[in-house]
Structures are given as structure tokens and as C-alpha cells.
Amino acid sequence: MVRKPIIGGNWKMNRGTPEDSKEMLESLIPLVLEINSVDIVIVVPFTVLTTVSKLLNGTNIKLGAQNMYFEDKGAYTGEVSPRFLKAIGVEYVILGHSERRDIFNESDSLINKKLKKALSLDLKPIVCIGEHLEEREAGKTKDIITYQINETFKALTKEEMIKTVIAYEPIWAIGTGKTATPEQAEEIHIFIREYINQKFDRDTADSIRIQYGGSVKPTNAEDLFKKKNIDGGLVGGASLETNSFYQIINAAALTIK
Ligand code: PEP
């Protein structure tokens, strides 16, 4: 089964004025123009989605949002409708990032509602799961992952599951400079795939893309992406600068399995 790797650059709240978005994308777009073996997604703050949507028009880079609400419209001050995202050319949306879970108290059941809504509108979800350091040290990583898969993907059909991208992001590795070793990451990716096999079937498990996220850098990307079950990465810090992000995209292109 050949799965197309996906590299997401999550700018978080670190880049996102029209000027600094334009500056980076104008240098990145020509560098990656020929790379068609990897899905490249730039995930930017809401305020700059329209500007970036225009900059990406006609390129091979896809546009992603960092969050959304699960209703189409209504009295939800400060929230953003998935329909508004669709209307300006957003293709992907990150759901359940650990920063949303930990800082903004997003629960698995809320993420499940958002996920079903995104899928119903044909927005491609990138759903983050992963354990805290204490949970890993207590030997609970697989229990946490099992719980998150059961709750976050509750009542999804096989077709919906296949359209979803999973980002395995051990929280202790996000923005800390500590990366899971390729072996540690692969062990959990295999576990996730086998659990999806149990809950759905072999075809679903073999089709779904599972990215790794947590301090991916040009120096470790190739070793991570070489692993059979790692289908690219969700990148924070190293996606903020053209050269480092380009090298990570290139590493995914060089390690196609
Ligand atoms: C992330 O934002 O999802 C992430 C993995 O960040 P970083 O690459 O900076 O660890």
C-alpha cells in the first residue's frame, strides 16, 4: 500500500501578518514547485488565510486552518465556521492539537464533533493525538492513545476514517527540541495502525496517513520519514523558515516507500 506523505507546517501564532506570510511563501513556492510526491500544507492563523489563499492559488501547496467550530453559523462569538473556511479555499484543518487540548480545555468529545463536521463538508482533518511526559514515564502511552482514538474517532465510518490524517504528537516532544527517536515514533505508529485494523479493517489501517509531530527538523526528518509507518510530519518551529521547511519537505520526497 503506497501512502502519499503529508508535511504540514503549523505556524501557530508565530507568523501571520500579511507581510511575513508573503515573504516566506514567495521564497518557498518556487523551491517546492516540482515536488508532487508529497502533500504540502501550510497551516496559518485565521487572519491571514485569505491572503495566503491568494498566494497559494495555482501552486502545489495546500492551505490549512488551525481550528474551527462544529456549527455552520450562530451566536458563537470568537469562533470560526467551517463554511467560512471552505469559502476562502481552506482544504485542511488541524483538530485537537495538544495546545488546544491543554490550554483551551478541548475534550475528545468536542474534537469528535468538529471532526464529523469537517468531514461532512469535505474539509480534510489532521487530528492530533499523543501523550504527556508523565503518561509516557508511567508506561501509559498506549492506553492514552487507545482512549483518544476511541473517543475522538467515535462513530466514524471507514470512508471517513480513511479521509482523516492522524498526527501522532508526543506532547513532551512539541516545541521542546526533544524528538521521539525514529524507533519510539514507529512503535506508536504501528500500534495506532494495528488498533485501527482492529476497530475497522486492514484496508482502512493500511490507507490512513499517520504523521509524526514533535521537534521535526532538517537533521532528524529523513530518519523519521524512512520508517515504514511514518507518513510525513506535522512541523511547528522548523516550518517558520523557508530553508528548514524546504529541507523537511525534501526529506519526505527522498524517503518515499
Ligand atoms: C506542532 O506544532 O504540532 C509541533 C510539532 O511543533 P514543533 O515542531 O515545534 O515541536
Side-chain angles (χ1 to χ4, degrees):
M1 167 74 62
V2 180
R3 293 179 295 268
K4 190 173 187 185
I6 170 166
I7 301 292
N10 176 13
W11 286 0
K12 310 191 187 191
M13 211 174 73
N14 291 317
R15 202 181 246 284
T17 65
E19 293 73 27
D20 69 11
S21 306
K22 195 165 180 268
E23 183 205 344
M24 173 161 170
L25 291 171
E26 281 181 347
S27 57
L28 183 70
I29 290 167
L31 286 178
V32 300
L33 212 55
E34 304 287 312
I35 302 182
N36 290 311
S37 53
V38 177
D39 280 335
I40 307 167
V41 188
I42 293 282
V43 189
V44 304
F46 290 129
T47 46
V48 85
L49 280 167
T50 307
T51 308
V52 174
S53 180
K54 287 182 192 143
L55 286 166
L56 298 184
N57 194 17
T59 75
N60 57 337
I61 305 180
K62 319 263 167 48
L63 180 62
Q66 297 178 11
N67 191 19
M68 53 166 259
Y69 198 52
F70 62 83
E71 296 286 1
D72 287 335
K73 61 186 285 197
Y76 304 106
T77 302
E79 291 295 325
V80 173
S81 162
R83 289 199 184 273
F84 301 164
L85 299 179
K86 284 283 292 184
I88 54 167
V90 172
E91 200 171 323
Y92 285 84
V93 60
I94 295 181
L95 299 175
H97 191 281
S98 60
E99 288 149 17
R100 299 297 318 168
R101 291 172 183 266
D102 286 354
I103 306 170
F104 302 100
N105 295 319
E106 289 200 6
S107 64
D108 287 292
S109 73
L110 175 67
I111 298 159
N112 178 252
K113 285 185 189 162
K114 293 182 179 193
L115 175 57
K116 285 189 192 146
K117 186 69 193 183
L119 287 162
S120 77
L121 293 173
D122 251 343
L123 273 168
K124 297 174 184 149
I126 298 176
V127 179
C128 303
I129 57 175
E131 79 287 0
H132 290 96
L133 184 59
E134 319 79 82
E135 293 161 340
R136 173 161 282 260
E137 286 174 349
K140 290 190 183 150
T141 299
K142 290 178 182 171
D143 295 342
I144 298 292
I145 297 292
T146 303
Y147 180 83
Q148 289 176 335
I149 293 176
N150 287 340
E151 298 303 311
T152 307
F153 302 122
K154 199 174 247 168
L156 252 59
T157 64
K158 168 186 158 82
E159 290 70 30
E160 289 175 327
M161 199 63 206
I162 289 174
K163 286 183 194 156
T164 301
V165 176
I166 297 180
Y168 168 58
E169 300 210 308
I171 296 161
W172 47 273
I174 298 179
T176 58
K178 273 191 206 167
T179 322
T181 63
E183 292 68 32
Q184 280 174 323
E186 175 74 348
E187 182 193 352
I188 302 304
H189 282 233
I190 291 172
F191 176 77
I192 294 169
R193 215 176 283 292
E194 286 317 306
Y195 191 58
I196 291 170
N197 178 28
Q198 266 179 48
K199 279 185 74 82
F200 292 86
D201 55 25
R202 191 72 259 159
D203 177 51
T204 310
D206 286 342
S207 304
I208 193 163
R209 293 186 293 178
I210 310 175
Q211 300 176 291
Y212 168 79
S215 298
V216 176
K217 300 183 212 65
T219 47
N220 59 24
E222 201 173 322
D223 286 340
L224 285 160
F225 302 159
K226 265 188 210 154
K227 292 290 179 191
K228 191 164 161 245
N229 289 283
I230 300 184
D231 307 313
L234 186 56
V235 186
S239 73
L240 295 169
E241 196 265 313
T242 298
N243 193 40
S244 58
F245 194 48
Y246 168 63
Q247 287 184 56
I248 292 169
I249 295 165
N250 219 15
L254 290 171
T255 51
I256 301 280
K257 281 125 330 202

